[in-house]
Amino acid sequence: MEPVTHFLTGACIGRAGLNRRTAYATLAATLAAEAPDLDVVWSLGGPVVGLEHHRGITHTFIAAPVVALVVTGFVWCVAKLAAWIRDHFFPRRRIRDPQPIRWLWVWLSAFIADLSHLLLDWTNNYGIRPFFPFSARWYEGDLVFIAEPVIWPLLVAALIFPALLGLADREVGARRTKFRGRGWAIAALTGMVILWCWRWVEHERARNLLEAAQVTPTPALRVALEPYPINPWRWHGILETETSWQTAEIDTRTGAVASDPRIDSLLKPQNTAATLTARRTRLGQVYLDWSTWPVVRDVGEHTVPGTPAPDFPPLRSWTTVEFSDLRFAYSFLNTSMAGSSNQQLDSVLAHSPLTGWVYVLDGREAAAEFIDGREQK
């Protein structure tokens, strides 16, 4: 999920009762809920390095206690700094009935929030490898889109409304309530789980509708359902047969399944010397290790979008090998049932997120590697 959902979820976890056990529980939970995404620093080494390590070791069960410990250490530094500032700049100001810091509870708050990050990332279609390095298998729930606006109001309300009620109490002179907002936080987290359960039911219903519709000319070997944001009834289906892939749009509220083989199908391309060379590159190995619905195509002398035309020696032939993933080859803004805005599937693939390209010279030498228009140096 995107950072906003992670931060808000961590704050609600801290406010759901852990903040009654120790000071700094909410701070630790909020930071730990987003801490696994610090693996983005790997992208400084280039897009291929970034893809290789994104949702890698920091998104595993074995790393969760370590990440929680690092966050706890950071919170300890914050606590020491806050105490120093208070003693040196506000020596006469004393906190009445200060809450003690229990560092084991601070670590536990961070640990629970870190696990929430793994759970949230599992719910979308990018997936995680929670058992890495013991198992390289990717797991994805395909329940919600990577950014689900329906969740945001739940989490925001759980954090804002208790504060507003506290202001109202002060206006009327009511006694200040300590640790306000526990019920709101629990209700928000419960609401998010209920949304996942609802979407899981609709996901299975969409699968049944798609399999019953038999939109492919030959039996499908496997099927995947990708979510749309906000609308729990809309799903994007992917089917694989022995010779092709095909996509479909499903509406579980009406029971409609739409798929036009003329624009929503793609024949599996044959391997060429260039594609075999590209598969052996670092980009090829990283991409195929990550992607669960990969498409590798030799697209000829095609310049990578957003980059200048390559300047290869005139006597050497070159071609471009494209790596794409069918899970992301659809427009999440599409509200019609007419496929991906009536575009050919191969065109949609070429412009889908997380697409990679390899320039190959003479069918055997990799000259350059790109992901989303960024070159791996």
Side-chain angles (χ1 to χ4, degrees):
M1 302 294 287
E2 32 63 47
V4 173
T5 301
H6 286 305
F7 278 125
L8 292 175
T9 300
C12 285
I13 288 174
R15 297 286 294 274
L18 292 170
N19 60 337
R20 302 187 179 203
R21 298 290 182 176
T22 177
Y24 294 106
T26 301
L27 175 62
T30 303
L31 295 177
E34 177 58 16
D37 278 345
L38 288 175
D39 59 10
V40 296
V41 299
W42 285 101
S43 63
L44 297 175
V48 177
V49 177
L51 179 64
E52 180 180 9
H53 293 282
H54 184 49
R55 296 198 181 180
I57 191 65
T58 60
H59 289 68
T60 62
F61 291 133
I62 195 173
V66 179
V67 173
L69 186 61
V70 172
V71 171
T72 302
F74 179 80
V75 172
W76 181 86
C77 294
V78 171
K80 290 297 182 181
L81 179 61
W84 183 86
I85 292 174
R86 185 173 57 250
D87 293 341
H88 285 77
F89 295 97
F90 308 98
R92 297 183 179 181
R93 186 174 181 181
R94 291 290 181 263
I95 301 176
R96 290 183 300 175
D97 191 22
Q99 187 181 15
I101 306 175
R102 299 182 175 93
W103 291 108
L104 180 60
W105 278 101
V106 173
W107 175 86
L108 183 62
S109 302
F111 179 64
I112 294 172
D114 183 279
L115 293 180
S116 79
H117 187 111
L118 305 188
L119 178 60
L120 283 165
D121 279 357
W122 170 81
T123 61
N124 58 60
N125 59 353
Y126 192 104
I128 60 171
R129 291 189 288 185
F131 303 107
F132 186 83
F134 307 108
S135 172
R137 179 183 172 184
W138 287 87
Y139 295 84
E140 61 268 358
D142 298 332
L143 299 179
V144 295
F145 195 68
I146 194 169
E148 180 50 77
V150 174
I151 296 176
W152 300 338
L154 285 174
L155 301 176
V156 170
L159 299 175
I160 291 180
F161 276 105
L164 294 178
L165 292 175
L167 291 175
D169 287 349
R170 292 181 188 179
E171 289 291 332
V172 298
R175 183 179 179 181
R176 183 175 179 267
T177 302
K178 198 173 183 180
F179 306 123
R180 183 187 296 274
R182 178 182 181 181
W184 286 88
I186 293 175
L189 296 173
T190 302
M192 185 162 57
V193 173
I194 292 173
L195 176 64
W196 293 341
C197 293
W198 180 18
R199 278 190 166 271
W200 178 79
V201 171
E202 297 300 331
H203 181 277
E204 294 307 302
R205 186 175 299 170
R207 179 183 295 274
N208 293 334
L209 288 170
L210 183 58
E211 292 176 349
Q214 298 181 349
V215 296
T216 55
T218 57
L221 302 177
R222 60 175 179 151
V223 175
L225 280 303
E226 311 302 337
Y228 281 90
I230 302 177
N231 189 345
W233 298 288
R234 277 296 308 279
W235 298 86
H236 177 78
I238 312 171
L239 305 98
E240 180 182 9
T241 69
E242 291 185 356
T243 59
S244 65
W245 297 284
Q246 188 167 330
T247 61
E249 299 299 320
I250 304 100
D251 190 324
T252 58
R253 182 168 49 181
T254 63
V257 178
S259 181
D260 186 347
R262 295 171 299 176
I263 62 174
D264 295 329
S265 63
L266 178 70
L267 291 176
K268 292 183 177 179
Q270 296 294 322
N271 275 324
T272 65
T275 59
L276 293 176
T277 297
R279 286 172 178 267
R280 291 192 293 268
T281 64
R282 185 175 185 182
L283 183 150
Q285 294 175 6
V286 168
Y287 203 97
L288 296 177
D289 176 66
W290 158 72
S291 175
T292 55
W293 286 84
V295 179
V296 184
R297 303 186 294 173
D298 185 336
V299 295
E301 293 187 358
H302 177 76
T303 301
V304 174
T307 65
D311 185 20
F312 296 131
L315 297 181
R316 303 193 66 178
S317 62
W318 65 280
T319 188
T320 305
V321 176
E322 177 190 274
F323 290 80
S324 51
D325 192 306
L326 285 164
R327 292 175 297 172
F328 308 104
Y330 70 106
S331 172
F332 66 90
L333 297 175
N334 180 28
T335 58
S336 72
M337 291 289 288
S340 298
S341 302
N342 290 316
Q343 296 182 18
Q344 292 282 349
L345 179 56
D346 58 353
S347 176
V348 175
L349 269 174
H351 298 88
S352 61
L354 298 171
T355 296
W357 295 270
V358 177
Y359 285 141
V360 179
L361 296 176
D362 301 329
R364 63 178 185 274
E365 179 185 343
E369 303 172 20
F370 299 81
I371 291 181
D372 284 344
R374 290 180 59 210
E375 184 176 4
Q376 177 65 45
K377 300 295 185 179

